[in-house]
Amino acid sequence: MKKITKTKEPQIHFAALAADTALFTLENNELLVRLIRVNRPPHIKDAIGLPGGLLLPKETADEAALRHLESKTDVSNKGVYIEQLYTFSDINRDPRNRVVAVAYMALIPWKELSENEQLGNITKSWWVPVKKLPKLAYDHNKIMEVALRRLASKIGYTTIIKKLLPREFTLIELEHAYETILGEKIDRRNFRKKIKKLKLVVSLDKKIRGFKWRPAMLYSFKSNKVEHTPNIT
Amino acid sequence: MKKITKTKEPQIHFAALAADTALFTLENNELLVRLIRVNRPPHIKDAIGLPGGLLLPKETADEAALRHLESKTDVSNKGVYIEQLYTFSDINRDPRNRVVAVAYMALIPWKELSENEQLGNITKSWWVPVKKLPKLAYDHNKIMEVALRRLASKIGYTTIIKKLLPREFTLIELEHAYETILGEKIDRRNFRKKIKKLKLVVSLDKKIRGFKWRPAMLYSFKSNKVEHTPNIT
DNA sequence: ACAAAAGTGTTTCATATACACCCATGA
DNA sequence: TCATGGGTGTATATGAAACACTTTTGT
């Protein structure tokens, strides 16, 4: 019988692996992303980028993404929804070394953030409206494009938007969340018809008060899981 | 002004990076995937897996995927459509070393394969119906699940199916391609109505002959690009 | 003439879209 | 009472789904 010899493949490791995350939240009908200060002299000085960093030896990319997210943004990753987007492996995406980045998108409801998490800190990490996104380090603007496209498309066929909303919300809030992410107006009556038909949310039989207008009925999603649905938008 | 010190991140590289590809073709109303013989003693002996391998220092994951695909399957990657699926980073997905895999899905029309490429070679690389998929090495069965799901979903909202069909095809062939990948029967009349309304294909005003039955009209896709469409299926 | 695959239309039902007014509240 | 956002229904158009027979060819 033919002896099969071991293929001579290089066993050394050529590229470092990083996990970079676009963390989104929704406040006051604006989609915000959490950015950090990036300093990597001599090539990158006082730049701005997405939170991320290298994988540890015994760590999956998902774990690394969550770890760096929390340590570099000071936003607790408890309650954060995260999903992998795409892996970027261009040779020169990092000017110093060969680094391959697994990009992630993460979501957190604004109301689950502490006051400090909401405020941020301009020297370390803070929220920026995606409409006013600055030039970012590395290929992070490319990651943002993928993340925004993924988010906008995914709210159309899943219930992922629940990961940006508080546990209890009004149908108007839900509608505004869609409008903000899609960047277009939705007809209120048609929207409510569709949401009710899909039976994804349940009325809590209580109303939000404290505004000077008519109180709005509160709703909740029936489950915490991100589920597929017939087209919503 | 505060001097910002360089973060002490490990500069050594902990995980090797590989690119693994599920290459599909469509023959005789069967979806086939190209598998290879895998030998990596002592853990993996005479196993079966997807074609793939490590990245070179100056190579993107896409390039590595195409290179290993061609060298490990003996299928020319000319004419192959490829897209990234997902990155798998479980600590123990490779029993020997820490290897992170960027998984790809690739498509090639059966008619573009040479006779040798169609036949394959049981000692190195050959075609297997996805309905008869064996147990694969590493986490390659997981990759196959992702690939099959992606393919089935993507034929529904893009023209990706063109990458599995010859340049000229009949509407029946097109319908069978959808049926094979989706695993369900489609109504012929409704299907043709939809395809014609979408204007994705153009009649070539010639008919295929050589069968003992009524000749069928030949069509071509208008473009070679994979484009988004309103829902097809 | 027959066997086998190619090709074609209509009806019904469900969903999508367009559109405007009244309601409840706090100030 | 007024300003503001919350909440509702109907009519039309479009798309989805169900369904069966005729045509063309080679043998």
Side-chain angles (χ1 to χ4, degrees):
Chain A
M1 194 180 288
K2 189 184 165 210
K3 176 111 186 293
I4 298 167
T5 53
K6 194 168 158 184
T7 318
K8 56 167 195 317
E9 270 181 341
Q11 292 304 314
I12 38 171
H13 309 148
F14 293 109
L17 252 177
D20 294 330
T21 304
L23 172 64
F24 295 109
T25 194
L26 210 43
E27 187 234 3
N28 197 21
N29 297 336
E30 266 193 324
L31 185 64
L32 310 179
V33 64
R34 187 83 176 189
L35 300 180
I36 63 165
R37 188 68 60 183
V38 176
N39 273 286
R40 288 281 186 273
H43 298 94
I44 299 180
K45 285 189 283 194
D46 205 38
I48 298 174
L50 296 176
L54 299 180
L55 271 68
L56 292 176
K58 302 262 172 191
E59 194 180 43
T60 63
D62 296 34
E63 288 161 356
L66 284 172
R67 176 171 59 83
H68 287 291
L69 182 62
E70 181 163 295
S71 75
K72 302 215 163 140
T73 62
D74 294 329
V75 172
S76 161
N77 62 32
K78 193 167 171 313
V80 164
Y81 170 85
I82 193 162
E83 77 173 48
Q84 197 193 104
L85 290 175
Y86 199 79
T87 295
F88 295 85
S89 62
D90 280 5
I91 312 290
N92 295 312
R93 56 173 298 285
D94 186 320
R96 296 176 307 161
N97 304 299
R98 180 79 200 281
V99 179
V100 171
V102 184
Y104 285 81
M105 165 178 89
L107 308 175
I108 183 84
W110 181 254
K111 281 191 183 166
E112 285 192 22
L113 297 168
S114 72
E115 200 179 342
N116 278 338
E117 290 171 337
Q118 291 179 348
L119 280 174
N121 174 334
I122 194 69
T123 66
K124 186 174 180 194
S125 172
W126 63 98
W127 294 105
V128 174
V130 299
K131 294 283 175 208
K132 295 171 185 166
L133 198 69
K135 178 153 172 34
L136 302 178
Y138 311 111
D139 52 1
H140 287 184
N141 287 98
K142 220 152 100 184
I143 295 180
M144 281 299 296
E145 277 177 41
V146 175
L148 289 168
R149 209 175 330 128
R150 175 81 135 256
L151 179 59
S153 102
K154 210 150 182 182
I155 59 171
Y157 64 93
T158 72
T159 57
I160 197 175
I161 206 163
K162 72 177 65 166
K163 300 299 182 181
L164 286 170
L165 290 169
R167 205 171 50 78
E168 304 187 345
F169 52 87
T170 67
L171 291 185
I172 295 270
E173 282 182 86
L174 180 60
E175 184 195 324
H176 285 161
Y178 276 99
E179 290 176 335
T180 301
I181 293 168
L182 296 175
E184 59 193 31
K185 186 100 192 61
I186 297 173
D187 182 89
R188 204 194 308 168
R189 287 162 291 185
N190 293 338
F191 177 76
R192 290 161 107 99
K193 259 183 293 180
K194 207 171 326 188
I195 293 301
K196 283 172 182 169
K197 168 114 55 101
L198 293 176
K199 293 186 198 291
L200 301 170
V201 299
V202 56
S203 159
L204 298 174
D205 281 321
K206 66 179 174 181
K207 300 190 173 180
I208 192 167
R209 301 197 145 254
F211 298 98
K212 60 177 177 174
W213 306 296
R214 173 175 176 176
M217 183 67 72
L218 285 166
Y219 292 79
S220 243
F221 278 97
K222 284 187 179 170
S223 106
N224 291 319
K225 292 206 190 103
V226 173
E227 294 157 314
H228 282 248
T229 68
N231 275 14
I232 294 176
T233 52
Chain B
M1 193 178 291
K2 190 183 167 211
K3 176 112 186 291
I4 297 168
T5 53
K6 193 168 157 184
T7 318
K8 57 168 198 312
E9 271 182 341
Q11 293 304 314
I12 37 169
H13 309 147
F14 294 109
L17 253 177
D20 294 330
T21 304
L23 172 65
F24 295 109
T25 194
L26 211 42
E27 188 233 2
N28 197 21
N29 297 335
E30 264 193 325
L31 185 64
L32 310 179
V33 64
R34 188 82 174 188
L35 300 180
I36 63 166
R37 188 67 62 184
V38 176
N39 273 285
R40 288 280 186 274
H43 297 95
I44 299 182
K45 285 189 283 193
D46 205 39
I48 298 173
L50 296 176
L54 299 181
L55 270 68
L56 292 176
K58 302 264 171 188
E59 196 180 42
T60 64
D62 296 35
E63 289 161 355
L66 285 172
R67 176 171 59 83
H68 287 291
L69 183 61
E70 182 163 294
S71 75
K72 303 215 163 140
T73 63
D74 294 330
V75 172
S76 161
N77 62 34
K78 193 168 171 309
V80 164
Y81 169 86
I82 193 162
E83 75 173 51
Q84 197 193 105
L85 291 175
Y86 199 80
T87 295
F88 294 85
S89 62
D90 279 5
I91 312 290
N92 295 311
R93 58 172 297 287
D94 186 319
R96 294 176 307 162
N97 303 300
R98 179 79 200 280
V99 180
V100 171
V102 185
Y104 285 82
M105 164 178 89
L107 309 175
I108 182 83
W110 181 254
K111 281 191 183 166
E112 285 191 22
L113 297 168
S114 70
E115 200 181 341
N116 278 339
E117 289 172 336
Q118 291 180 348
L119 280 174
N121 175 334
I122 192 71
T123 66
K124 187 176 180 193
S125 172
W126 63 98
W127 295 105
V128 174
V130 298
K131 294 284 175 206
K132 295 171 185 166
L133 198 68
K135 178 154 172 32
L136 302 178
Y138 310 112
D139 53 1
H140 287 183
N141 286 99
K142 221 152 99 184
I143 295 180
M144 282 298 298
E145 276 176 43
V146 174
L148 289 169
R149 209 176 330 129
R150 176 83 134 253
L151 180 59
S153 102
K154 210 150 182 184
I155 59 172
Y157 64 93
T158 72
T159 57
I160 198 175
I161 207 162
K162 70 176 66 167
K163 300 299 183 181
L164 286 169
L165 290 170
R167 206 172 49 79
E168 304 186 344
F169 52 85
T170 66
L171 291 185
I172 295 270
E173 281 182 87
L174 180 60
E175 183 194 324
H176 285 160
Y178 276 98
E179 290 176 335
T180 300
I181 293 168
L182 296 174
E184 58 194 31
K185 186 100 192 61
I186 298 173
D187 181 90
R188 204 194 309 171
R189 288 161 292 185
N190 293 337
F191 178 76
R192 290 161 107 98
K193 259 182 294 181
K194 207 171 324 188
I195 293 301
K196 282 172 183 169
K197 167 114 55 99
L198 292 176
K199 293 187 199 293
L200 302 170
V201 298
V202 56
S203 159
L204 298 174
D205 280 321
K206 68 179 173 181
K207 300 190 173 181
I208 192 164
R209 300 197 145 257
F211 297 99
K212 60 176 178 175
W213 306 296
R214 174 175 177 176
M217 182 68 72
L218 285 167
Y219 291 79
S220 244
F221 278 97
K222 283 187 179 170
S223 106
N224 291 319
K225 294 207 189 102
V226 173
E227 295 158 313
H228 282 247
T229 70
N231 275 14
I232 295 176
T233 52

